[in-house]
Amino acid sequence: MQSQRERREVRPRAGWTVMGKGVAGPSALEVGKILVLFLCLFPSVSLQCKILKCNSEFWASTSSSGPEEEFCTALRAYNNCVRRTARTCRGDLAYHSAQHGIEDLMSQHNCSKEGPTTQPRARTPAPPPPPQLQPDSQERSDGPEQCHYERSLPRHSSPPNYTHCGFFGDPHLRTFSDDFQTCKVEGAWPLIHNKYLSVQVTNTPVVPGSSATATSKLTIIFKNFQECVDQKMYHAETDELPAAFADGSKNGGDRHGANTLRIVDKVPGQHVEIHARYIGTTIVVRQVGRYLTFAVRMPEEVVNSVEDRDNQDLYLCLHGCPANQRIDFRTFRDRAVEGHGPAKSRTGSQSHGFTYQAAMAKCKERLPVEDLYFQSCVFDLLSSGDINFTMAAYYAFEDVKMLHSNKDKYHIFEKNAFGSNAAPRGSDMFSLVFLNCLAMLLWIECCWVHL
């Protein structure tokens, strides 16, 4: 962003682990490796994190408008609760956000770390102030110029280029550069990690014993920005798609431009949108069946505003899934076409009742164009048997139409989805034969010279 768009931000501290790479200094590298190995061997441990319970108890028991002494007591109790979750929450974004938030609140309210920590009783909410005392919503909404991304750009500059990333199904990734991939990525993985926000998803097996996974948790952290917004965390899980941030608020806090970050509940429990106008970003989170989908529209400048380029290979929306986590679903599809009856799943067992023809017919009902959204729908039905994945692919494409800035790129087809790695098999075979013939000619020439 422009140099004048400097911001106050909470810098990541040692221990924030993002998909196995910490932002800690070199002295913590070995500890990070051991932690990642432990989480890989015992993934269930990370599912026992109770950080949200600590958050809800704290925010339900007191408020920053109460007596300072009472607030500090509640804050110390909150700190103790968070520390007790350290073992099971070490790799969780919500846990690290709470840690940093406690430190900030301690500093803001001049709270000592030593003192009473009696668990506070829930307080009765104060009655709302009279309507005439409410701040003017339009005034708060407008806020300073720097709290509106497009207004803050230099005059006469070209319009920003908006990009799109989507993550849905079993799971399928559309990157900011419009690459389309199908990935394994079980466990916690970062989708976005830049100067302004971080997004992490947690994927769990769809069927026990299968490598088919889908997103069951999503955490978004909006970092504080100038006089526009406070740091805010949004956390969603299966059957828990809140219409508020983790602290219960629906906007960016108490700053003058707070309403440039707000949550809109489109369909309760099913569809939430987060509008971050100060960075020109819109995020759509849905629950379809038992799993979550994610879609974002973001200016290219914000997309590339990375802080630590050494760790950005883990930023899935920017670079895609690692090569060893990608799945070529064309091979899987070809096996299904060649076979008779239900196809084999990725584990080699029978898939869950769908033949290739039946899966195609079901996906055709919602996705008439046989692009990669259609193909991903077929793949998910064959690999999981969960009919809800049909709607996941459908809504993912609807989000593309809402968020992508170029309507000519709504559809992605197989021939242009994977670049050079997805050349048709006929071309690959021709290249192989050509190289073999060339090698044979060189060998014959060599032999002729020696004779």
Side-chain angles (χ1 to χ4, degrees), residues 8 15 101 105 194 257 323 410 451:
R8 302 189 301 273
L105 288 172
N194 60 38
Y410 288 173
L451 287 175

PDB file of all heavy atoms in Angstrom, residues 8 15 101 105 194 257 323 410 451:
ATOM      1  N   ARG A   8      -0.702   0.616  12.725  1.00  0.00           N
ATOM      2  CA  ARG A   8      -0.252  -0.057  13.938  1.00  0.00           C
ATOM      3  C   ARG A   8      -0.710  -1.488  13.834  1.00  0.00           C
ATOM      4  O   ARG A   8      -1.878  -1.770  13.602  1.00  0.00           O
ATOM      5  CB  ARG A   8      -0.893   0.601  15.166  1.00  0.00           C
ATOM      6  CG  ARG A   8      -0.593   2.073  15.291  1.00  0.00           C
ATOM      7  CD  ARG A   8      -1.083   2.560  16.635  1.00  0.00           C
ATOM      8  NE  ARG A   8      -2.521   2.340  16.798  1.00  0.00           N
ATOM      9  CZ  ARG A   8      -3.423   3.208  16.392  1.00  0.00           C
ATOM     10  NH1 ARG A   8      -3.060   4.323  15.812  1.00  0.00           N
ATOM     11  NH2 ARG A   8      -4.701   2.975  16.586  1.00  0.00           N
ATOM     12  N   GLY A  15       6.287 -18.578  18.151  1.00  0.00           N
ATOM     13  CA  GLY A  15       5.313 -19.576  18.554  1.00  0.00           C
ATOM     14  C   GLY A  15       4.110 -19.615  17.657  1.00  0.00           C
ATOM     15  O   GLY A  15       3.362 -20.566  17.684  1.00  0.00           O
ATOM     16  N   GLY A 101      -3.998 -10.416  22.175  1.00  0.00           N
ATOM     17  CA  GLY A 101      -5.038  -9.506  22.637  1.00  0.00           C
ATOM     18  C   GLY A 101      -4.942  -9.228  24.126  1.00  0.00           C
ATOM     19  O   GLY A 101      -5.143  -8.089  24.574  1.00  0.00           O
ATOM     20  N   LEU A 105      -4.519  -5.598  25.897  1.00  0.00           N
ATOM     21  CA  LEU A 105      -5.481  -5.095  26.881  1.00  0.00           C
ATOM     22  C   LEU A 105      -4.802  -4.803  28.213  1.00  0.00           C
ATOM     23  O   LEU A 105      -5.137  -3.813  28.891  1.00  0.00           O
ATOM     24  CB  LEU A 105      -6.610  -6.115  27.070  1.00  0.00           C
ATOM     25  CG  LEU A 105      -7.597  -6.244  25.904  1.00  0.00           C
ATOM     26  CD1 LEU A 105      -8.546  -7.409  26.135  1.00  0.00           C
ATOM     27  CD2 LEU A 105      -8.380  -4.948  25.721  1.00  0.00           C
ATOM     28  N   ASN A 194      -0.922 -12.084   5.060  1.00  0.00           N
ATOM     29  CA  ASN A 194      -0.246 -10.875   4.610  1.00  0.00           C
ATOM     30  C   ASN A 194      -0.283  -9.810   5.700  1.00  0.00           C
ATOM     31  O   ASN A 194      -0.576 -10.116   6.854  1.00  0.00           O
ATOM     32  CB  ASN A 194      -0.846 -10.376   3.284  1.00  0.00           C
ATOM     33  CG  ASN A 194      -2.324 -10.037   3.389  1.00  0.00           C
ATOM     34  OD1 ASN A 194      -2.788  -9.495   4.393  1.00  0.00           O
ATOM     35  ND2 ASN A 194      -3.090 -10.361   2.357  1.00  0.00           N
ATOM     36  N   GLY A 257     -13.245   4.754  11.950  1.00  0.00           N
ATOM     37  CA  GLY A 257     -13.628   4.058  10.723  1.00  0.00           C
ATOM     38  C   GLY A 257     -14.067   2.636  10.962  1.00  0.00           C
ATOM     39  O   GLY A 257     -13.934   1.778  10.080  1.00  0.00           O
ATOM     40  N   ALA A 323       3.263 -29.457  -4.096  1.00  0.00           N
ATOM     41  CA  ALA A 323       3.150 -30.500  -5.125  1.00  0.00           C
ATOM     42  C   ALA A 323       2.787 -31.848  -4.526  1.00  0.00           C
ATOM     43  O   ALA A 323       2.006 -32.607  -5.108  1.00  0.00           O
ATOM     44  CB  ALA A 323       4.458 -30.585  -5.908  1.00  0.00           C
ATOM     45  N   TYR A 410     -14.845 -16.620 -15.422  1.00  0.00           N
ATOM     46  CA  TYR A 410     -15.676 -17.341 -14.465  1.00  0.00           C
ATOM     47  C   TYR A 410     -15.436 -18.844 -14.568  1.00  0.00           C
ATOM     48  O   TYR A 410     -15.186 -19.526 -13.564  1.00  0.00           O
ATOM     49  CB  TYR A 410     -17.158 -17.057 -14.712  1.00  0.00           C
ATOM     50  CG  TYR A 410     -17.628 -15.673 -14.321  1.00  0.00           C
ATOM     51  CD1 TYR A 410     -18.923 -15.252 -14.637  1.00  0.00           C
ATOM     52  CD2 TYR A 410     -16.792 -14.777 -13.654  1.00  0.00           C
ATOM     53  CE1 TYR A 410     -19.379 -13.988 -14.287  1.00  0.00           C
ATOM     54  CE2 TYR A 410     -17.244 -13.512 -13.305  1.00  0.00           C
ATOM     55  CZ  TYR A 410     -18.532 -13.125 -13.631  1.00  0.00           C
ATOM     56  OH  TYR A 410     -18.973 -11.877 -13.281  1.00  0.00           O
ATOM     57  N   LEU A 451      33.090 -45.628 -35.941  1.00  0.00           N
ATOM     58  CA  LEU A 451      33.431 -46.614 -36.948  1.00  0.00           C
ATOM     59  C   LEU A 451      34.323 -45.964 -38.001  1.00  0.00           C
ATOM     60  O   LEU A 451      35.143 -46.629 -38.622  1.00  0.00           O
ATOM     61  CB  LEU A 451      32.152 -47.156 -37.599  1.00  0.00           C
ATOM     62  CG  LEU A 451      31.327 -48.098 -36.700  1.00  0.00           C
ATOM     63  CD1 LEU A 451      30.035 -48.475 -37.401  1.00  0.00           C
ATOM     64  CD2 LEU A 451      32.136 -49.351 -36.372  1.00  0.00           C
TER      65      LEU A 451
END
